[in-house]
Amino acid sequence: MAAAAFERRVLRRAAEHHYLRVRLELPDGGARPNAAQFKQLVVTALRELHGEVGAALPVDVLTYEEKTLSAILRVISSGLVKLWSALTLLGFYQNRRCAFRVLQEIRFPAPLYVGEEVTAAAEVKRLKGSVAHISVSCQVRESGKTVMEGMVKVMVPES
């Protein structure tokens, strides 16, 4: 009897996630969605643009603040474009106009271990009115590996 042969494949970055900080804008006020309704709105946006396959995309609402209508979403990297496009194109919530704004997009391409020292970097890429678009990253000093990178938007104080 022949021995069974096993092959192990390790895909680099296969389980990588992206994190989005988003805000729902409801210009005409009214009732604000609770956490469950917010998650359903995200799923609805995916379904409307990408069908049932899009609605099945694993998206986690890690935090949600009903007061500010802002949330941190986690999505597998292969689903980032689908999620971002679905949120961008969603125009209504309960028959009222709405819009999603993506405030931050961060990814963690490599793990950070206890004892490793990191260097953080930030570079203003664009200044549009009072909003600065900033590229951010963190790298381990010794190895140079990038453990965090992304884009953030911040309000610049008026001088």
Side-chain angles (χ1 to χ4, degrees):
M1 184 180 232
F6 293 96
E7 182 179 337
R8 179 178 176 190
R9 289 183 183 224
V10 178
L11 301 176
R12 187 174 173 163
R13 298 183 182 203
E16 180 180 313
H17 287 85
H18 284 258
Y19 297 80
L20 299 175
R21 187 164 67 98
V22 300
R23 183 179 63 233
L24 177 64
E25 295 182 357
L26 297 169
D28 52 345
R32 295 170 171 264
N34 62 29
Q37 292 167 328
F38 186 89
K39 168 69 176 191
Q40 187 58 46
L41 184 59
V42 170
V43 172
T44 299
L46 285 162
R47 181 177 289 114
E48 285 181 6
L49 187 61
H50 303 290
E52 291 302 319
V53 172
L57 183 70
V59 177
D60 300 312
V61 179
L62 300 178
T63 64
Y64 174 66
E65 294 180 30
E66 191 171 333
K67 181 179 178 182
T68 61
L69 298 175
S70 61
I72 296 176
L73 306 178
R74 178 176 58 193
V75 63
I76 195 142
S77 61
S78 62
L80 176 66
V81 172
K82 282 185 179 180
L83 176 62
W84 201 317
S85 61
L87 295 178
T88 301
L89 295 173
L90 184 73
F92 289 92
Y93 169 69
Q94 294 183 343
N95 297 319
R96 295 180 294 152
R97 296 189 77 67
C98 74
F100 270 102
R101 301 286 181 237
V102 177
L103 306 173
Q104 292 181 341
E105 182 262 324
I106 302 290
R107 62 187 200 95
F108 300 89
L112 179 65
Y113 298 105
V114 174
E116 290 183 316
E117 291 185 23
V118 297
T119 302
E123 179 184 354
V124 177
K125 294 291 191 178
R126 182 173 58 159
L127 188 59
K128 185 175 181 182
S130 61
V131 177
H133 297 251
I134 302 173
S135 171
V136 295
S137 67
C138 289
Q139 292 184 325
V140 175
R141 282 190 186 181
E142 189 173 296
S143 67
K145 75 177 176 181
T146 300
V147 293
M148 185 276 292
E149 59 190 2
M151 291 294 293
V152 298
K153 294 179 191 175
V154 296
M155 296 293 291
V156 177
E158 302 207 9
S159 352

